[in-house]
Amino acid sequence: MGFSGFYRLFRRRRPTADKDRRHNRRVIPSEGTTVLIVDDSRTVRRVMGIMLRQSGYRALEAADGEQGITLARRHKPNLIFMDVMMPGMDGFQATRKLQMDVQTQDIPVIIISGNRQATVQNWVEKTGAKGFMAKPFERGELFRRLESAIY
């Protein structure tokens, strides 16, 4: 994916009043509220991490499913954003492993993917994920998903 693809992924659109977080109640995270970002794209991890840190969250980053599982077991994050297509263990496999592990089964997972097809959303339900967020996404959507999953 070239620069134009990443630009589309994180471009700002003119917000409507109901979607603009400036007009909505902001959730201030308690100290130590941790979000794990599992995505093979360093750019996606970095941009999401910056957004989360700016809002007071602790952000952890993993480049693949195996590393994501390891970090989830070690740090017990409050939420995991899990990409679908990754080398090695994909996001669905990693989510199923997290759901079957006593240490991590209560951590909500939101699947993120550029594929908006119904089959992906069907797999989200089958794996026990808390929700689905399509790429590209806006900052407001990221926080709406996060807040609905953990608050």
Side-chain angles (χ1 to χ4, degrees), residues 1 14 27 32 37 47 53 55 59-60 73 80 89 91-92 98-100 102 112 119 125 132 137 143-144 148:
M1 175 183 306
R14 180 174 275 171
V27 174
I37 306 157
V47 170
R53 287 181 198 100
S55 293
L60 303 174
R73 287 178 179 150
I80 300 172
M89 183 184 298
F92 293 130
L98 290 167
Q99 295 298 319
M100 294 186 324
V102 176
I112 56 175
T119 54
E125 293 173 15
F132 174 80
F137 55 86
F143 286 99
R144 279 191 302 278
S148 70

Side-chain angles (χ1 to χ4, degrees), residues 4-13 136-139:
S4 63
F6 285 114
Y7 173 77
R8 283 192 311 273
L9 183 64
F10 298 108
R11 72 175 177 236
R12 289 183 171 243
R13 295 183 193 114
F137 55 86
E138 297 174 337
R139 180 184 182 100

Side-chain angles (χ1 to χ4, degrees), residues 47-59:
V47 170
M48 288 179 75
I50 289 170
M51 289 179 193
L52 292 165
R53 287 181 198 100
Q54 286 175 341
S55 293
Y57 293 90
R58 178 176 174 229

Side-chain angles (χ1 to χ4, degrees), residues 1 9 39-40 44 82-85 111-117 120-121 132-137:
M1 175 183 306
L9 183 64
D39 197 307
D40 59 328
V44 170
M82 179 79 69
D83 187 25
V84 173
M85 299 301 296
I111 299 290
I112 56 175
S113 175
N115 185 345
R116 297 171 186 247
Q117 293 187 4
V120 171
Q121 294 183 27
F132 174 80
M133 185 170 71
K135 294 178 190 176
F137 55 86

Side-chain angles (χ1 to χ4, degrees), residues 22-117:
R22 290 175 291 184
H23 298 288
N24 297 332
R25 186 185 115 250
R26 282 190 182 236
V27 174
I28 309 288
S30 58
E31 189 172 331
T33 303
T34 304
V35 178
L36 173 58
I37 306 157
V38 184
D39 197 307
D40 59 328
S41 167
R42 183 172 36 175
T43 303
V44 170
R45 290 191 317 267
R46 187 163 291 161
V47 170
M48 288 179 75
I50 289 170
M51 289 179 193
L52 292 165
R53 287 181 198 100
Q54 286 175 341
S55 293
Y57 293 90
R58 178 176 174 229
L60 303 174
E61 301 175 13
D64 59 43
E66 282 290 337
Q67 186 181 20
I69 290 170
T70 301
L71 288 175
R73 287 178 179 150
R74 183 178 306 141
H75 296 280
K76 309 287 188 294
N78 300 88
L79 176 69
I80 300 172
F81 282 105
M82 179 79 69
D83 187 25
V84 173
M85 299 301 296
M86 295 183 285
M89 183 184 298
D90 68 31
F92 293 130
Q93 294 168 326
T95 300
R96 278 194 300 268
K97 282 194 174 208
L98 290 167
Q99 295 298 319
M100 294 186 324
D101 188 331
V102 176
Q103 297 179 55
T104 58
Q105 66 187 6
D106 294 328
I107 302 171
V109 176
I110 295 177
I111 299 290
I112 56 175
S113 175
N115 185 345
R116 297 171 186 247
Q117 293 187 4

